[in-house]
Amino acid sequence: MKQTILIPDLGADSLEVTAVLVQAGDAVAEEQGIISVEGEKASMDVPSSAAGTVVSVLVKKGDRVKKGMPLLE
C-alpha cells in the first residue's frame, strides 16, 4: 500500500533541508531519519512515521519545508 510521509510539527514555521538521507528504492524503518533540517536555533533529523520502501523523494537539499508538506512516497 502506497503511503505519503508528511513533515511533522517541528516547532518552527519553515526549515531548510540540509540533507536527504534516503533515496528511491531504499528500505526505511519507522523512526529512521529521512531528512536533516536546520532552523534558526537547531538542526535535526526528521524521522519516518512508517516503515517501507521509498518510491520517490519529494524534497531536495535547499528546499524550505513546513508542517504537513509531503516528504516521501
Side-chain angles (χ1 to χ4, degrees), residues 14-19 36-44 64:
S14 175
L15 298 167
E16 181 179 348
V17 176
T18 56
S36 295
V37 294
E38 187 171 305
E40 292 180 15
K41 298 181 181 180
S43 62
M44 67 189 89
R64 295 208 60 89

Side-chain angles (χ1 to χ4, degrees), residues 36-56:
S36 295
V37 294
E38 187 171 305
E40 292 180 15
K41 298 181 181 180
S43 62
M44 67 189 89
D45 287 349
V46 175
S48 177
S49 59
T53 301
V54 177
V55 174
S56 61

Side-chain angles (χ1 to χ4, degrees), residues 8-9 11 19 24 26 28 32 34 47 51-52 56 59-60 65 67 72:
D9 184 0
D26 287 354
V28 295
Q32 175 182 336
I34 50 178
S56 61
V59 297
K60 63 186 182 307
V65 297
K67 178 183 176 185
L72 301 176

Side-chain angles (χ1 to χ4, degrees), residues 2 7 17 21 30-31 33 37 42 44-45 48 53 66 68 70 73:
K2 187 173 172 180
I7 297 280
V17 176
L21 307 175
E30 189 171 351
E31 298 299 319
V37 294
M44 67 189 89
D45 287 349
S48 177
T53 301
K66 60 184 177 180
E73 292 183 326

Side-chain angles (χ1 to χ4, degrees), residues 1-16:
M1 180 172 91
K2 187 173 172 180
Q3 183 174 358
T4 301
I5 305 298
L6 305 176
I7 297 280
D9 184 0
L10 300 172
D13 289 340
S14 175
L15 298 167
E16 181 179 348

